Structure formats: structure tokens, C-alpha cells
């Protein structure tokens, strides 16, 4: 098959100015003469991604360009190689350190030739780079020095000095080796303005995510610069951004898919752009709620679902910092038939209000957890959008209104598939295992595996250890307190208590028709078994042994449904499986009968 190349187009591209949108957005048939990797991805993920230099020919001349990273797969999978004929559908022309840079943004493969078409020659025969000459163009027009230096602080530049249309840099082309760049990008996420304190002192910080058609990048501002820029940047709006410092990205603080990030400085310039065409709002890569079980803990993902239910704002105390945090839990469902619990934190939890009953909500960059089964949590870089105008949202809305509202949904477990919420959160009668089968499965947990495995079972309490049935705890943090004379001291909270609050810590034997096992439980378990608080039981234990033993005896010979958390641990140099009770549920005989 013979191909007709667009003769003369290389010269036109080489001499074009950056704002010739018609030329750069039009399709051109060209041939690949060579491909060369100019950056190598190492195991260290802080290093930049592979970049490919491509030489294109129109049959008469050839020119050099860079291949956009989203097209790398074509090279890796060898669809794009030497002598491939392509239809270049979109180009970008930028200046990097006053040198022209052509970037191939989109192309389509037409076919493969065995040899070079025509006898292409360099556009500029005087250049020293014979492989792919790129003569330096005239420098873009600049405003007088007085105007360009009139704004030394990070702020909106003068309206008389807007960046030239088309003369901006693609986000994916940013690197620490460039100083003079301007990006045109939409703010897709903006964090809260937070205060921090460390060994170097106190300060303020916030970050935003900028996105254009080539990719996204995270930008951070500190202290006075953060105070100045925070009210000027709004989610959803488009800005010209320049004169920031490009550094290697700190991956542990961001889930943005870019090897670099921007630090906004005092000299940084930001101007709102009213021409917002061809810039995406947010790029999603959704996974279904069912697919969450295949994702590793602490990874991030994008999900979209129907808000089935949401709780009130509550407060918890962080174990790491002892600070009080506000949280709110949402329940999401989707067409996969699964539900998941998603946690909002801080101001987002307090200010959350659904736009309508059961809205569609899209989340970008939420964190995957495994507490009590698969769960999701918002992080600083995550975004939440109600009823987004995207095809996935419209499809989900139609499904829920027509049939989904009457469906039942499964929640996730770390093992054994999924567990429905019938009869209690996390327990599923369909997954009941006899004690012997459960123990055989648990014994197959590798010694090196630190992840728990969850089981549902039904068993009868046969014996409760009477020693150390409760411990003295701090009423604030629930940690064990130490008696000092007539008072009690909490080392964690660093305070003195007049009396402790007792909490259950129990070991008890259970059995069924296949065998016996020892379970371990905490406060909720004791409250269910005895119907009394640990304070009451401790008082009876200290004052009346006979009544205490009678209470223990009455708690035995009763059957319960259990959700168990099985995990390997070591005790006195013995490796064993420990069965912790995550849920204990008294039998509901009506539900048990209906389940038969």
C-alpha cells in the first residue's frame, strides 16, 4: 500500500508561530524516520518518565519533535516505529528557554512502510544537527521591562500584559530544567489553608491541582504567599500560571500522576483566563465498588456512586496526635451491587450537604482502607463532585431511578468475598463456617502475612475466664491507667484521674458441633454477654465472689453470631492464630428462620 505524504508541511510547521491553531489542530500525513528515548524511567519513581524524540518527514523535508507521554505505549508496544506512516492530528508549539519545541499531542497510525518515502532533507542545511534541524525562531514579542517587573509579588499580573494566546507550555512538558514557562490550566482541586508547626517554626500551607489537556500537576504555596494566593484561586476556573519553581514531586504527599510539582513563590504570577475551551474539568479513571476488593490498602482510586445514606458528624481522638477530629460517614452504592463506607473529615464533614436525595457523587483520589472490610477515605488531595455532567453520572442516575433503588447491596470484607449487612454490619449467614472449617482455613495463613482474615460463624459460649476480665482505663483515650495512691494516672493524656473507667478485655471458649475455639473480645463483647457495664461487673467482682461467679455462669450456654478477625501473632515464642471478635450478635430467631 502506498501513502501520499503532505509535502511541504514540515516547512510550514517549522516556521509557524505558536498561535496558528488551524495549522496545529489540522491532520497531516507524515512518516516516522526515527525514534529516540531521551529520558529513562528508573526504579526510583522520583525520576522523570520516558520521553521520546521523533523525527517526521513529509517526503521533502524532515523536522524534530517530542512525543507526548500519553503516546508512549505506541512506542513500547512497537506500533509506532521507524518508517511508520501516521496521521498527526494535533500538535503543540512552545518555547523552552527561547527555543522552539514541537510536541505531538495526538496521532493515528495509518500503516507501515519498509523504507523511507522520498528523499527528505533538513530544512536548514546550515545547522550542525543533521538528524533533525530546528532553526531558532524569532523570539516572541515581550512587553516593556517596566511592565514585566511591575508585579514582584505572587499576584495577578497587569491586565495590559496577558500571555500571548497559544504561547503557553503543556503541563506534561514541565521540568526543573526550564525557567521561562507559562501554563494555561484549570484548578481541579484546592485544599484548605492549613496551619502547621515543626522544628523550623510555624507556618501556613495549601495546595492546588492544575490540569490541562496533557496532564495535571500539583502546586503548593507557603506562609505569606499562601495567604495572598488562597482567595485568588478557585476550583473550576482557568488561570495562566508562570514563574513558579518546578521540583521533583514528593509522592507520599500527593496522588497526582506527575513526576514533578510546582512551588509557588513571591515572584510567581497568576492571572485568570476567561478563554476556557478545550480544557477538561477533571479526568477520572473510575473503578467499580466491587473492584475495590482487588486494590491494595492505602492505594488511591476514583469512584462514582449513588449516595445511599449518610450519618451525622461525630468526633474521634487521633491516637497519633491526641487531637480531636470531626468525621462523617457516607454509604455509596453502584451498579456492581456493592456498597462501601466513605469517610469525610474536618470542614468537609461539617459542611457536607447533599444537593438532592440520593445524588450521584464522583470522587477522585480517595484512599482505600481495610478497617472492618474495604472502606474509603478522603485525603487532602482528593476531590468530591455532586451530580457531575459526565456520561458515567447520567448512566448511574438512570439505573438507580429505574431499578437500583430497590436493589440490595453487599459490603466488602478482607477475605471470604463479601458480607451483607443483614443481621449486623459485616455478618453474612450465607458465609457461615463451622469452627473446624474456619480453623483449617485460618491455619493456612502464611507466617509472614500480617493481614487479618475475616470469618462469620455461629457458636455457643461454654466458658469465660474470670481472671482479668476488665482493665482500668482513661475515660478520654481508653488507655490503661496506673494507680498512684488514691488517684490514677494516664501517661498518654498526662493527667490524674480520681477514678478510672473500666473496660472489658475478655477470653472465652466457644464450641459447635465440629469443635471448640478460644475467642478474644473487648468492651462491646462484654456488654453483650453480661448486659452490664465493666464498671458494674468489676464492682461485683470486688465485693461478692458468689454473685460474680453466678453472672459468669448465666452468660454461658448461649449462642451468638460472630464476625471474627483471624490473624497470626506470637506469644511466648509460640506462633498461633488469634481470633478477635469484631461483631457479636444475639440470635434473632425470626431472621434465622427466614434465612433457612
Amino acid at each position: 500500500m502506498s501513502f501520499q505524504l503532505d509535502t511541504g508541511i514540515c516547512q510550514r510547521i517549522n516556521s509557524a508561530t505558536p498561535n496558528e491553531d488551524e495549522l496545529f489542530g489540522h491532520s497531516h500525513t507524515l512518516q516516522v524516520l526515527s525514534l529516540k528515548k531521551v529520558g529513562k524511567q528508573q526504579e526510583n519513581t522520583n525520576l522523570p518518565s520516558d520521553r521520546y524524540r521523533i523525527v517526521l518527514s513529509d517526503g521533502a523535508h524532515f523536522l524534530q519533535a517530542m512525543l507526548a507521554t500519553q503516546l508512549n505505549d505506541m512506542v513500547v508496544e512497537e506500533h509506532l516505529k521507524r518508517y511508520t506512516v501516521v496521521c498527526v492530528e494535533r500538535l503543540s508549539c512552545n518555547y523552552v528557554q527561547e527555543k522552539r519545541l514541537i510536541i505531538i499531542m495526538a496521532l493515528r497510525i495509518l500503516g507501515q512502510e519498509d523504507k523511507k518515502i522520498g528523499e527528505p532533507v533538513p530544512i536548514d542545511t546550515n545547522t550542525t544537527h543533521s538528524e533533525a534541524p530546528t532553526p531558532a525562531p524569532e523570539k516572541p514579542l515581550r512587553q516593556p521591562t517596566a511592565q514585566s517587573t511591575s508585579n514582584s509579588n505572587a499576584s495577578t499580573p497587569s491586565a495590559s500584559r496577558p500571555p500571548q494566546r497559544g504561547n503557553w507550555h503543556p503541563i506534561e512538558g514541565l521540568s526543573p530544567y526550564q525557567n521561562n514557562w507559562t501554563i494555561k490550566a484549570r484548578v481541579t482541586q484546592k485544599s484548605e489553608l492549613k496551619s502547621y508547626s515543626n522544628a523550623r517554626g510555624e507556618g501556613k500551607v495549601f495546595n492546588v491541582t492544575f490540569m490541562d489537556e496533557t496532564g495535571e500537576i500539583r502546586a503548593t504555596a507557603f506562609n505569606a504567599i499562601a495567604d495572598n494566593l488562597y482567595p485568588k484561586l478557585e476550583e473550576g476556573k482557568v488561570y495562566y500560571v508562570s514563574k513558579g519553581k518546578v521540583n521533583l514531586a514528593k509522592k507520599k504527599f500527593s496522588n497526582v500522576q506527575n513526576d514533578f510539582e510546582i512551588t509557588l513563590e513571591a515572584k510567581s504570577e497568576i492571572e485568570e483566563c476567561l478563554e476556557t475551551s478545550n480544557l477538561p474539568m477533571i479526568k477520572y479513571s473510575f473503578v467499580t465498588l466491587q473492584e475495590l476488593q482487588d486494590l491494595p490498602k492505602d492505594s488511591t482510586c476514583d469512584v462514582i456512586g449513588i449516595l445511599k445514606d449518610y450519618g451525622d458528624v461525630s468526633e474521634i481522638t487521633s491516637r497519633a496526635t491526641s487531637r480531636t477530629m470531626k468525621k462523617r460517614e457516607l454509604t455509596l452504592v453502584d451498579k456492581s451491587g456493592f456498597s462501601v463506607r466513605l469517610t469525610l473529615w474536618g470542614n468537609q464533614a461539617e459542611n457536607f450537604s447533599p444537593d438532592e436525595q440520593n445524588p450521584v457523587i464522583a470522587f477522585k483520589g480517595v484512599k482505600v482502607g481495610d478497617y472492618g472490610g474495604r472502606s474509603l477515605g478522603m485525603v487532602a488531595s482528593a476531590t468530591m463532585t455532586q451530580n457531575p455532567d459526565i456520561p458515567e453520572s447520567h448512566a448511574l442516575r438512570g439505573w438507580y431511578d429505574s431499578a437500583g433503588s430497590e436493589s440490595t447491596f453487599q459490603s466488602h470484607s478482607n477475605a471470604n468475598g463479601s458480607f451483607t449487612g443483614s443481621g449486623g454490619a459485616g455478618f453474612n449467614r450465607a458465609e457461615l463456617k463451622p469452627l473446624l472449617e474456619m480453623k483449617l482455613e485460618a491455619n493456612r495463613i502464611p507466617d509472614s502475612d500480617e493481614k487479618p482474615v475475616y470469618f462469620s460463624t455461629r457458636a455457643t459460649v461454654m466458658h469465660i475466664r474470670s481472671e482479668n476480665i476488665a482493665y482500668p482505663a482513661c475515660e478520654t483515650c481508653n488507655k490503661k491507667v496506673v494507680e498512684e495512691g488514691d488517684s490514677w494516672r494516664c501517661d498518654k493524656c498526662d493527667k490524674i484521674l480520681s477514678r478510672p473507667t473500666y473496660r472489658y478485655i475478655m477470653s472465652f471458649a466457644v464450641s459447635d458441633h465440629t469443635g471448640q475455639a478460644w475467642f478474644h473480645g473487648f468492651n462491646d463483647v462484654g456488654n453483650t454477654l453480661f448486659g452490664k457495664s465493666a464498671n458494674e461487673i468489676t464492682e461485683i467482682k470486688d465485693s461478692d465472689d458468689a454473685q460474680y461467679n453466678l453472672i459468669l455462669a448465666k452468660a454461658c450456654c448461649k449462642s451468638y453470631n460472630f464476625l471474627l478477625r483471624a490473624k497470626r501473632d506470637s506469644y511466648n515464642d509460640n506462633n498461633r492464630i488469634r481470633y478477635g471478635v469484631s461483631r457479636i450478635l444475639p440470635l434473632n430467631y425470626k431472621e434465622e428462620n427466614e434465612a433457612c
Side-chain angles (χ1 to χ4, degrees):
M1 182 178 184
S2 60
F3 295 94
Q4 180 64 47
L5 305 183
D6 290 346
T7 305
I9 198 63
C10 286
Q11 278 190 316
R12 287 188 58 195
I13 293 173
N14 189 70
S15 60
T17 58
N19 59 353
E20 293 190 32
D21 295 342
E22 184 177 354
L23 175 64
F24 295 134
H26 195 271
S27 297
H28 311 294
T29 301
L30 300 168
Q31 184 182 34
V32 177
L33 295 188
S34 73
L35 283 162
K36 182 178 180 181
K37 186 186 294 185
V38 295
K40 186 175 182 180
Q41 177 70 29
Q42 306 288 342
E43 291 182 1
N44 183 347
T45 56
N46 284 334
L47 294 178
S49 301
D50 291 346
R51 298 301 302 272
Y52 290 92
R53 181 184 295 118
I54 185 171
V55 177
L56 296 169
S57 162
D58 62 8
H61 297 90
F62 59 81
L63 61 77
Q64 176 179 281
M66 295 297 294
L67 198 65
T69 55
Q70 66 262 28
L71 303 178
N72 281 3
D73 287 344
M74 288 187 174
V75 182
V76 175
E77 297 172 4
E78 296 187 349
H79 299 309
L80 186 65
K81 52 190 176 181
R82 191 179 187 189
Y83 299 146
T84 300
V85 179
V86 298
C87 176
V88 177
E89 297 178 329
R90 187 155 47 89
L91 296 153
S92 172
C93 179
N94 300 278
Y95 287 99
V96 178
Q97 296 179 350
E98 300 183 354
K99 293 183 179 180
R100 179 190 298 272
L101 176 65
I102 302 294
I103 299 178
I104 309 300
M105 308 301 299
L107 62 78
R108 177 165 43 89
I109 294 175
L110 300 179
Q112 182 67 39
E113 287 283 356
D114 296 330
K115 60 181 181 179
K116 179 170 56 177
I117 299 175
E119 296 295 333
V121 296
I123 295 173
D124 183 1
T125 56
N126 294 323
T127 182
T128 58
H129 300 281
S130 60
E131 178 186 289
T134 308
E138 295 182 4
K139 296 181 180 179
L141 293 177
R142 298 179 179 272
Q143 296 293 333
T145 304
Q147 289 185 358
S148 63
T149 59
S150 62
N151 188 4
S152 59
N153 294 325
S155 60
T156 303
S158 169
S160 63
R161 185 184 162 271
Q164 292 185 8
R165 183 176 182 271
N167 189 17
W168 54 81
H169 203 86
I171 284 178
E172 72 144 20
L174 291 178
S175 78
Y177 312 108
Q178 299 157 329
N179 296 318
N180 299 320
W181 52 263
T182 297
I183 61 171
K184 174 187 175 184
R186 189 186 303 276
V187 174
T188 59
Q189 177 270 337
K190 175 184 171 183
S191 74
E192 298 177 13
L193 181 60
K194 297 181 179 180
S195 298
Y196 66 88
S197 178
N198 56 31
R200 292 178 291 179
E202 297 182 349
K204 294 181 180 180
V205 62
F206 84 96
N207 61 74
V208 294
T209 301
F210 290 113
M211 176 180 286
D212 68 7
E213 59 184 352
T214 70
E216 56 185 352
I217 192 167
R218 185 173 186 254
T220 305
F222 295 91
N223 302 324
I225 302 167
D227 283 330
N228 187 23
L229 290 179
Y230 190 78
K232 297 179 180 179
L233 290 167
E234 298 181 27
E235 285 188 2
K237 290 189 175 182
V238 177
Y239 299 87
Y240 292 109
V241 182
S242 60
K243 298 185 179 179
K245 185 177 182 181
V246 180
N247 302 304
L248 290 172
K250 299 178 178 65
K251 294 292 187 179
K252 66 178 181 179
F253 298 121
S254 171
N255 58 12
V256 173
Q257 299 301 309
N258 198 317
D259 296 310
F260 304 112
E261 62 186 14
I262 298 172
T263 299
L264 298 172
E265 302 178 309
K267 64 180 181 180
S268 298
E269 296 181 354
I270 294 178
E271 176 194 358
E272 184 179 352
C273 172
L274 301 180
E275 185 182 334
T276 62
S277 59
N278 299 324
L279 285 179
M281 290 296 293
I282 299 181
K283 291 181 180 179
Y284 293 102
S285 181
F286 292 121
V287 298
T288 66
L289 300 187
Q290 181 180 11
E291 292 170 334
L292 292 176
Q293 61 193 359
D294 301 324
L295 300 181
K297 180 179 180 293
D298 295 331
S299 63
T300 57
C301 64
D302 304 345
V303 298
I304 185 169
I306 294 285
L307 178 65
K308 186 71 173 177
D309 192 16
Y310 65 99
D312 296 328
V313 177
S314 60
E315 291 187 354
I316 64 169
T317 301
S318 169
R319 293 182 180 180
T321 63
S322 298
R323 295 175 60 183
T324 299
M325 299 184 296
K326 295 187 177 181
K327 59 179 286 191
R328 186 196 296 268
E329 292 189 346
L330 315 182
T331 300
L332 303 174
V333 299
D334 72 358
K335 296 171 69 174
S336 68
F338 276 71
S339 68
V340 70
R341 184 180 72 255
L342 187 145
T343 304
L344 305 179
W345 300 96
N347 292 337
Q348 202 166 42
E350 289 186 276
N351 300 330
F352 175 77
S353 177
D355 292 344
E356 59 184 32
Q357 186 176 7
N358 304 122
V360 178
I361 308 182
F363 296 87
K364 182 175 178 61
V366 288
K367 187 175 182 180
V368 178
D370 65 352
Y371 181 75
R374 275 292 178 262
S375 60
L376 297 171
M378 292 291 286
V379 293
S381 57
T383 62
M384 174 178 64
T385 307
Q386 295 193 42
N387 297 316
D389 187 14
I390 55 177
E392 295 90 343
S393 175
H394 302 317
L396 199 57
R397 177 83 275 158
W399 161 78
Y400 188 78
D401 291 343
S402 62
S405 59
E406 304 298 326
S407 301
T408 57
F409 301 93
Q410 295 177 316
S411 60
H412 286 280
S413 170
N414 287 1
N416 304 328
S418 59
F419 294 86
T420 62
S422 176
F427 178 81
N428 182 12
R429 291 181 180 82
E431 296 289 343
L432 280 176
K433 292 186 182 296
L435 292 179
L436 178 59
E437 183 181 345
M438 179 193 74
K439 291 168 73 174
L440 289 173
E441 287 194 22
N443 284 329
R444 290 198 290 266
I445 300 175
D447 292 346
S448 59
D449 194 348
E450 298 182 354
K451 291 184 178 180
V453 177
Y454 287 83
F455 296 99
S456 287
T457 192
R458 180 180 297 128
T460 302
V461 177
M462 303 304 296
H463 173 71
I464 301 173
R465 281 184 178 161
S466 59
E467 309 87 2
N468 302 323
I469 201 169
Y471 71 95
C474 172
E475 61 184 0
T476 302
C477 67
N478 295 331
K479 295 295 184 181
K480 187 175 181 179
V481 295
V482 180
E483 187 174 11
E484 291 185 347
D486 296 332
S487 59
W488 300 77
R489 177 172 55 84
C490 175
D491 290 331
K492 182 173 179 60
C493 298
D494 193 24
K495 64 181 181 180
I496 303 299
L497 308 173
S498 59
R499 57 177 297 175
T501 298
Y502 282 89
R503 293 178 62 83
Y504 288 110
I505 181 169
M506 305 178 57
S507 293
F508 55 99
V510 300
S511 68
D512 67 4
H513 64 286
T514 65
Q516 146 177 325
W518 280 94
F519 290 173
H520 304 273
F522 293 95
N523 215 48
D524 292 343
V525 176
N527 289 333
T528 300
L529 291 179
F530 301 124
K532 298 178 183 293
S533 69
N535 280 337
E536 294 176 281
I537 290 293
T538 301
E539 186 176 344
I540 294 171
K541 180 176 182 287
D542 293 340
S543 61
D544 191 336
D545 283 343
Q547 186 181 358
Y548 174 65
N549 290 329
L550 181 61
I551 291 173
L552 293 183
K554 287 184 176 180
C556 294
C557 300
K558 294 181 179 179
S559 299
Y560 298 89
N561 288 328
F562 295 95
L563 176 65
L564 299 173
R565 185 174 183 268
K567 186 178 180 181
R568 283 200 177 274
D569 75 352
S570 180
Y571 181 75
N572 289 338
D573 296 328
N574 292 323
N575 192 288
R576 63 177 184 174
I577 301 293
R578 180 182 176 89
Y579 298 97
V581 179
S582 296
R583 298 283 190 278
I584 178 172
L585 307 166
L587 299 186
N588 184 319
Y589 291 100
K590 180 180 178 181
E591 291 186 5
E592 301 296 335
N593 183 60
E594 291 175 350
C596 294

